[in-house]
Amino acid sequence: MAVIESIAIRQEEMTRWRRDIHAHPELGFEEIRTAEIVAEKLRSFGLEVHCGVGKTGVVGVLRAGGTGRSIGLRADMDALPIVEANTFPHRSTREGRMHACGHDGHTTMLLGAAKYLAETRRFDGVVNFIFQPAEEGGGGARAMIADGLFERFACDAVFGMHNRPGLSLGKFAVRAGPMMAGGAFFDIRVAGKGAHGARPESSIDPVLVASHIAIALQSIVSRNVRPLDAAVVSVTKINGGDAYNVIPQTAQLSGTVRAFTREVMELIESGMRRVVKGTAEAFGATAEMDFRIVFAPTVNDAKEADFVAGVCSEVVGAENVNRNPSLIVASEDFSFMLEKVPGCYFNIGNGAGDGVCEVHNPGYDFNDDALALGASVFARIVETRLPKRI
Ligand SMILES: [Zn+2]
Ligand SMILES: [Zn+2]
């Protein structure tokens, strides 16, 4: 078994779809044109289409046979606020917008799978094709879930695929358990007492307090988190004061936290609250912290990860499926869907070797040679998971 033949012959057609979406990138929750194209294509394939799920999200439903078994396949549709540096004909036509994460490719692969599955219907059950808006920090997955995604479109399991530069074309990577980190943003506001810069005795200096907080926060990963649990606390902004001779009233710190389980995320948050409050109090100041989880850790169900690895192995051979890739410290909001429904998030190779361009780089482009392969894996996930009864 390799790439499905009737998908392989659509390689050119899928490349046209992908390049059209690439040339017309839209940011999170602004995916009007993209969602229209997706909806129109799904309808033309014969699917039942639901628009406006989580603002600009689209769900296509395909049924075959009589069993109630169901599956969800998810692609993301949004682009990034990046000025594209590429000069090829399908470069972005929208200044300051770019498909620099390959979501144009993910959308196309899922459309390719939908077309094939609608034509062949070699499965028995319900397939929900989930086209998600605003993956890049905008909260698109949560918006769809809040809009009743899994109540309206029941899924026994849900699967998502992301391209990975640096992984050769024709290879896949998937692991059981944590796959990508969860991410939180925090803002800390220190309140002291302003004074003349030459009269520190009448101040409570918030700049000094903020400096101690920034240092003390680094004790959390090194002293409170288990050495085998990877985590990051980064203070990335410190602001306070406007003049050489004024001790200001307040100072602010902001930054990000990454961890691979909810438990470690909570441990870090409570540790930060303790350090922030205690350090401020030690200096006679006060401090408040706002801590927001933007991405949950992406955690694959062990059984579903094994299932996906098996399907990928059937398509490209077991030697081309890495079942133990390194953890990725970046984050992904498919994680919120995986917290609701068991499933698996996995990577498809976008090409390796010299000149490989990372995602979120102005020179990035999705590799069209992966389109038929990714669509085939989506299709085989359905045919394997919901086998037709004879
Ligand atoms: Zn991205
Ligand atoms: Zn992405």
mmCIF file of all heavy atoms in Angstrom, residues 85-117:
data_model
loop_
_atom_site.group_PDB
_atom_site.id
_atom_site.type_symbol
_atom_site.label_atom_id
_atom_site.label_comp_id
_atom_site.label_asym_id
_atom_site.label_seq_id
_atom_site.Cartn_x
_atom_site.Cartn_y
_atom_site.Cartn_z
ATOM 1 N N ALA A 85 8.408 36.631 1.876
ATOM 2 C CA ALA A 85 9.636 36.978 1.158
ATOM 3 C C ALA A 85 9.760 36.195 -0.153
ATOM 4 O O ALA A 85 10.619 36.486 -0.972
ATOM 5 C CB ALA A 85 10.850 36.707 2.049
ATOM 6 N N ASN A 86 8.891 35.190 -0.362
ATOM 7 C CA ASN A 86 8.988 34.379 -1.577
ATOM 8 C C ASN A 86 8.574 35.196 -2.806
ATOM 9 O O ASN A 86 7.779 36.137 -2.695
ATOM 10 C CB ASN A 86 8.091 33.144 -1.463
ATOM 11 C CG ASN A 86 8.549 32.221 -0.349
ATOM 12 O OD1 ASN A 86 9.728 31.900 -0.254
ATOM 13 N ND2 ASN A 86 7.616 31.812 0.505
ATOM 14 N N THR A 87 9.101 34.784 -3.962
ATOM 15 C CA THR A 87 8.779 35.532 -5.196
ATOM 16 C C THR A 87 8.069 34.651 -6.221
ATOM 17 O O THR A 87 7.820 35.080 -7.339
ATOM 18 C CB THR A 87 10.075 36.083 -5.823
ATOM 19 O OG1 THR A 87 10.995 35.004 -5.977
ATOM 20 C CG2 THR A 87 10.694 37.155 -4.944
ATOM 21 N N PHE A 88 7.747 33.400 -5.857
ATOM 22 C CA PHE A 88 7.082 32.516 -6.826
ATOM 23 C C PHE A 88 5.668 33.031 -7.147
ATOM 24 O O PHE A 88 5.126 33.868 -6.411
ATOM 25 C CB PHE A 88 7.067 31.064 -6.349
ATOM 26 C CG PHE A 88 6.690 30.866 -4.897
ATOM 27 C CD1 PHE A 88 5.478 31.310 -4.409
ATOM 28 C CD2 PHE A 88 7.562 30.201 -4.026
ATOM 29 C CE1 PHE A 88 5.113 31.100 -3.084
ATOM 30 C CE2 PHE A 88 7.207 29.996 -2.703
ATOM 31 C CZ PHE A 88 5.985 30.449 -2.224
ATOM 32 N N PRO A 89 5.097 32.536 -8.240
ATOM 33 C CA PRO A 89 3.801 33.105 -8.690
ATOM 34 C C PRO A 89 2.677 32.989 -7.660
ATOM 35 O O PRO A 89 1.771 33.816 -7.673
ATOM 36 C CB PRO A 89 3.469 32.280 -9.943
ATOM 37 C CG PRO A 89 4.772 31.731 -10.413
ATOM 38 C CD PRO A 89 5.628 31.551 -9.198
ATOM 39 N N HIS A 90 2.698 31.984 -6.784
ATOM 40 C CA HIS A 90 1.586 31.851 -5.831
ATOM 41 C C HIS A 90 1.865 32.533 -4.494
ATOM 42 O O HIS A 90 1.203 32.253 -3.498
ATOM 43 C CB HIS A 90 1.215 30.377 -5.630
ATOM 44 C CG HIS A 90 2.284 29.527 -5.001
ATOM 45 N ND1 HIS A 90 3.328 28.992 -5.700
ATOM 46 C CD2 HIS A 90 2.465 29.110 -3.725
ATOM 47 C CE1 HIS A 90 4.098 28.277 -4.886
ATOM 48 N NE2 HIS A 90 3.600 28.348 -3.678
ATOM 49 N N ARG A 91 2.833 33.457 -4.477
ATOM 50 C CA ARG A 91 3.122 34.183 -3.226
ATOM 51 C C ARG A 91 1.879 34.973 -2.792
ATOM 52 O O ARG A 91 0.973 35.247 -3.599
ATOM 53 C CB ARG A 91 4.305 35.132 -3.415
ATOM 54 C CG ARG A 91 3.997 36.306 -4.319
ATOM 55 C CD ARG A 91 5.237 37.167 -4.540
ATOM 56 N NE ARG A 91 4.966 38.202 -5.542
ATOM 57 C CZ ARG A 91 5.044 38.017 -6.857
ATOM 58 N NH1 ARG A 91 5.395 36.826 -7.346
ATOM 59 N NH2 ARG A 91 4.772 38.981 -7.693
ATOM 60 N N SER A 92 1.900 35.383 -1.537
ATOM 61 C CA SER A 92 0.744 36.103 -0.981
ATOM 62 C C SER A 92 0.426 37.361 -1.775
ATOM 63 O O SER A 92 1.311 38.131 -2.134
ATOM 64 C CB SER A 92 1.050 36.498 0.473
ATOM 65 O OG SER A 92 0.043 37.362 0.951
ATOM 66 N N THR A 93 -0.857 37.552 -2.036
ATOM 67 C CA THR A 93 -1.303 38.785 -2.699
ATOM 68 C C THR A 93 -1.770 39.796 -1.654
ATOM 69 O O THR A 93 -2.266 40.859 -1.996
ATOM 70 C CB THR A 93 -2.486 38.499 -3.643
ATOM 71 O OG1 THR A 93 -3.528 37.866 -2.879
ATOM 72 C CG2 THR A 93 -2.076 37.591 -4.782
ATOM 73 N N ARG A 94 -1.631 39.437 -0.384
ATOM 74 C CA ARG A 94 -2.109 40.319 0.687
ATOM 75 C C ARG A 94 -0.937 40.733 1.563
ATOM 76 O O ARG A 94 -0.372 39.901 2.297
ATOM 77 C CB ARG A 94 -3.187 39.619 1.510
ATOM 78 C CG ARG A 94 -4.387 39.351 0.629
ATOM 79 C CD ARG A 94 -5.474 38.598 1.331
ATOM 80 N NE ARG A 94 -6.630 38.517 0.443
ATOM 81 C CZ ARG A 94 -7.723 37.843 0.692
ATOM 82 N NH1 ARG A 94 -7.842 37.192 1.826
ATOM 83 N NH2 ARG A 94 -8.716 37.827 -0.169
ATOM 84 N N GLU A 95 -0.601 42.013 1.493
ATOM 85 C CA GLU A 95 0.558 42.545 2.200
ATOM 86 C C GLU A 95 0.449 42.267 3.708
ATOM 87 O O GLU A 95 -0.576 42.557 4.332
ATOM 88 C CB GLU A 95 0.634 44.053 1.928
ATOM 89 C CG GLU A 95 1.879 44.744 2.453
ATOM 90 C CD GLU A 95 3.181 44.268 1.796
ATOM 91 O OE1 GLU A 95 3.126 43.684 0.690
ATOM 92 O OE2 GLU A 95 4.244 44.476 2.403
ATOM 93 N N GLY A 96 1.519 41.714 4.265
ATOM 94 C CA GLY A 96 1.526 41.488 5.709
ATOM 95 C C GLY A 96 0.742 40.267 6.156
ATOM 96 O O GLY A 96 0.501 40.074 7.337
ATOM 97 N N ARG A 97 0.332 39.425 5.207
ATOM 98 C CA ARG A 97 -0.369 38.175 5.532
ATOM 99 C C ARG A 97 0.341 37.048 4.785
ATOM 100 O O ARG A 97 0.668 37.198 3.614
ATOM 101 C CB ARG A 97 -1.820 38.206 5.040
ATOM 102 C CG ARG A 97 -2.620 39.405 5.505
ATOM 103 C CD ARG A 97 -3.379 39.045 6.757
ATOM 104 N NE ARG A 97 -4.283 40.098 7.154
ATOM 105 C CZ ARG A 97 -3.952 41.176 7.844
ATOM 106 N NH1 ARG A 97 -2.683 41.386 8.161
ATOM 107 N NH2 ARG A 97 -4.857 42.052 8.219
ATOM 108 N N MET A 98 0.504 35.933 5.477
ATOM 109 C CA MET A 98 1.219 34.841 4.810
ATOM 110 C C MET A 98 0.868 33.482 5.407
ATOM 111 O O MET A 98 0.763 33.344 6.631
ATOM 112 C CB MET A 98 2.729 35.074 4.964
ATOM 113 C CG MET A 98 3.555 33.963 4.345
ATOM 114 S SD MET A 98 5.313 34.120 4.697
ATOM 115 C CE MET A 98 5.865 32.565 3.985
ATOM 116 N N HIS A 99 0.693 32.495 4.544
ATOM 117 C CA HIS A 99 0.564 31.111 5.009
ATOM 118 C C HIS A 99 1.968 30.581 5.292
ATOM 119 O O HIS A 99 2.559 29.894 4.476
ATOM 120 C CB HIS A 99 -0.166 30.242 3.979
ATOM 121 C CG HIS A 99 -1.643 30.218 4.191
ATOM 122 N ND1 HIS A 99 -2.210 29.656 5.315
ATOM 123 C CD2 HIS A 99 -2.658 30.707 3.453
ATOM 124 C CE1 HIS A 99 -3.528 29.796 5.263
ATOM 125 N NE2 HIS A 99 -3.824 30.440 4.151
ATOM 126 N N ALA A 100 2.488 30.921 6.474
ATOM 127 C CA ALA A 100 3.865 30.559 6.829
ATOM 128 C C ALA A 100 3.908 29.357 7.761
ATOM 129 O O ALA A 100 4.960 29.024 8.297
ATOM 130 C CB ALA A 100 4.562 31.752 7.473
ATOM 131 N N CYS A 101 2.749 28.717 7.980
ATOM 132 C CA CYS A 101 2.743 27.532 8.848
ATOM 133 C C CYS A 101 2.180 26.319 8.111
ATOM 134 O O CYS A 101 2.035 25.254 8.682
ATOM 135 C CB CYS A 101 1.953 27.812 10.129
ATOM 136 S SG CYS A 101 2.439 26.750 11.518
ATOM 137 N N GLY A 102 1.824 26.510 6.830
ATOM 138 C CA GLY A 102 1.358 25.371 6.033
ATOM 139 C C GLY A 102 -0.092 25.001 6.240
ATOM 140 O O GLY A 102 -0.535 23.925 5.826
ATOM 141 N N HIS A 103 -0.881 25.886 6.848
ATOM 142 C CA HIS A 103 -2.292 25.556 7.053
ATOM 143 C C HIS A 103 -3.041 25.498 5.716
ATOM 144 O O HIS A 103 -4.070 24.835 5.617
ATOM 145 C CB HIS A 103 -2.943 26.562 8.019
ATOM 146 C CG HIS A 103 -2.309 26.572 9.383
ATOM 147 N ND1 HIS A 103 -2.753 27.349 10.421
ATOM 148 C CD2 HIS A 103 -1.253 25.865 9.889
ATOM 149 C CE1 HIS A 103 -1.990 27.149 11.502
ATOM 150 N NE2 HIS A 103 -1.074 26.259 11.193
ATOM 151 N N ASP A 104 -2.496 26.179 4.691
ATOM 152 C CA ASP A 104 -3.042 26.033 3.330
ATOM 153 C C ASP A 104 -2.926 24.573 2.876
ATOM 154 O O ASP A 104 -3.851 24.017 2.284
ATOM 155 C CB ASP A 104 -2.340 26.983 2.345
ATOM 156 C CG ASP A 104 -0.803 26.935 2.463
ATOM 157 O OD1 ASP A 104 -0.269 26.373 3.444
ATOM 158 O OD2 ASP A 104 -0.126 27.472 1.561
ATOM 159 N N GLY A 105 -1.796 23.952 3.214
ATOM 160 C CA GLY A 105 -1.578 22.543 2.860
ATOM 161 C C GLY A 105 -2.466 21.612 3.666
ATOM 162 O O GLY A 105 -3.037 20.652 3.132
ATOM 163 N N HIS A 106 -2.624 21.911 4.963
ATOM 164 C CA HIS A 106 -3.473 21.045 5.811
ATOM 165 C C HIS A 106 -4.917 21.059 5.308
ATOM 166 O O HIS A 106 -5.575 20.019 5.220
ATOM 167 C CB HIS A 106 -3.446 21.518 7.273
ATOM 168 C CG HIS A 106 -2.056 21.644 7.843
ATOM 169 N ND1 HIS A 106 -1.768 22.389 8.956
ATOM 170 C CD2 HIS A 106 -0.868 21.114 7.428
ATOM 171 C CE1 HIS A 106 -0.473 22.310 9.219
ATOM 172 N NE2 HIS A 106 0.100 21.549 8.301
ATOM 173 N N THR A 107 -5.409 22.279 4.993
ATOM 174 C CA THR A 107 -6.781 22.418 4.485
ATOM 175 C C THR A 107 -6.942 21.627 3.188
ATOM 176 O O THR A 107 -7.926 20.906 2.995
ATOM 177 C CB THR A 107 -7.103 23.914 4.266
ATOM 178 O OG1 THR A 107 -7.070 24.566 5.542
ATOM 179 C CG2 THR A 107 -8.474 24.119 3.633
ATOM 180 N N THR A 108 -5.956 21.730 2.299
ATOM 181 C CA THR A 108 -6.026 21.039 1.007
ATOM 182 C C THR A 108 -5.987 19.524 1.175
ATOM 183 O O THR A 108 -6.740 18.801 0.511
ATOM 184 C CB THR A 108 -4.863 21.509 0.108
ATOM 185 O OG1 THR A 108 -4.924 22.924 -0.018
ATOM 186 C CG2 THR A 108 -4.931 20.866 -1.270
ATOM 187 N N MET A 109 -5.134 19.032 2.070
ATOM 188 C CA MET A 109 -5.056 17.577 2.282
ATOM 189 C C MET A 109 -6.397 17.028 2.771
ATOM 190 O O MET A 109 -6.842 15.966 2.335
ATOM 191 C CB MET A 109 -3.959 17.240 3.306
ATOM 192 C CG MET A 109 -2.553 17.508 2.811
ATOM 193 S SD MET A 109 -1.255 16.841 3.884
ATOM 194 C CE MET A 109 -1.385 17.860 5.346
ATOM 195 N N LEU A 110 -7.040 17.785 3.665
ATOM 196 C CA LEU A 110 -8.316 17.305 4.208
ATOM 197 C C LEU A 110 -9.416 17.374 3.138
ATOM 198 O O LEU A 110 -10.262 16.485 3.054
ATOM 199 C CB LEU A 110 -8.694 18.108 5.461
ATOM 200 C CG LEU A 110 -9.842 17.526 6.304
ATOM 201 C CD1 LEU A 110 -9.610 16.063 6.659
ATOM 202 C CD2 LEU A 110 -10.040 18.340 7.584
ATOM 203 N N LEU A 111 -9.369 18.411 2.292
ATOM 204 C CA LEU A 111 -10.321 18.479 1.176
ATOM 205 C C LEU A 111 -10.100 17.311 0.216
ATOM 206 O O LEU A 111 -11.065 16.704 -0.277
ATOM 207 C CB LEU A 111 -10.158 19.812 0.411
ATOM 208 C CG LEU A 111 -10.721 21.069 1.084
ATOM 209 C CD1 LEU A 111 -10.293 22.323 0.311
ATOM 210 C CD2 LEU A 111 -12.251 21.011 1.190
ATOM 211 N N GLY A 112 -8.853 16.984 -0.033
ATOM 212 C CA GLY A 112 -8.528 15.863 -0.934
ATOM 213 C C GLY A 112 -9.075 14.554 -0.385
ATOM 214 O O GLY A 112 -9.643 13.739 -1.128
ATOM 215 N N ALA A 113 -8.932 14.368 0.927
ATOM 216 C CA ALA A 113 -9.451 13.149 1.553
ATOM 217 C C ALA A 113 -10.974 13.123 1.481
ATOM 218 O O ALA A 113 -11.579 12.080 1.208
ATOM 219 C CB ALA A 113 -8.993 13.078 3.015
ATOM 220 N N ALA A 114 -11.607 14.292 1.691
ATOM 221 C CA ALA A 114 -13.079 14.357 1.654
ATOM 222 C C ALA A 114 -13.598 13.985 0.267
ATOM 223 O O ALA A 114 -14.572 13.234 0.128
ATOM 224 C CB ALA A 114 -13.549 15.770 2.039
ATOM 225 N N LYS A 115 -12.940 14.504 -0.764
ATOM 226 C CA LYS A 115 -13.387 14.218 -2.133
ATOM 227 C C LYS A 115 -13.306 12.717 -2.423
ATOM 228 O O LYS A 115 -14.253 12.110 -2.920
ATOM 229 C CB LYS A 115 -12.528 15.011 -3.123
ATOM 230 C CG LYS A 115 -12.964 14.837 -4.560
ATOM 231 C CD LYS A 115 -12.372 15.884 -5.475
ATOM 232 C CE LYS A 115 -12.974 15.732 -6.865
ATOM 233 N NZ LYS A 115 -12.511 16.718 -7.811
ATOM 234 N N TYR A 116 -12.185 12.125 -2.068
ATOM 235 C CA TYR A 116 -11.983 10.695 -2.305
ATOM 236 C C TYR A 116 -13.002 9.851 -1.522
ATOM 237 O O TYR A 116 -13.641 8.947 -2.065
ATOM 238 C CB TYR A 116 -10.552 10.315 -1.913
ATOM 239 C CG TYR A 116 -10.352 8.838 -1.689
ATOM 240 C CD1 TYR A 116 -10.164 7.964 -2.763
ATOM 241 C CD2 TYR A 116 -10.381 8.305 -0.395
ATOM 242 C CE1 TYR A 116 -9.999 6.597 -2.548
ATOM 243 C CE2 TYR A 116 -10.217 6.948 -0.172
ATOM 244 C CZ TYR A 116 -10.032 6.097 -1.248
ATOM 245 O OH TYR A 116 -9.877 4.745 -1.035
ATOM 246 N N LEU A 117 -13.157 10.174 -0.238
ATOM 247 C CA LEU A 117 -14.054 9.367 0.610
ATOM 248 C C LEU A 117 -15.510 9.509 0.169
ATOM 249 O O LEU A 117 -16.291 8.561 0.255
ATOM 250 C CB LEU A 117 -13.897 9.770 2.082
ATOM 251 C CG LEU A 117 -12.565 9.328 2.735
ATOM 252 C CD1 LEU A 117 -12.326 10.074 4.039
ATOM 253 C CD2 LEU A 117 -12.544 7.816 2.967
#
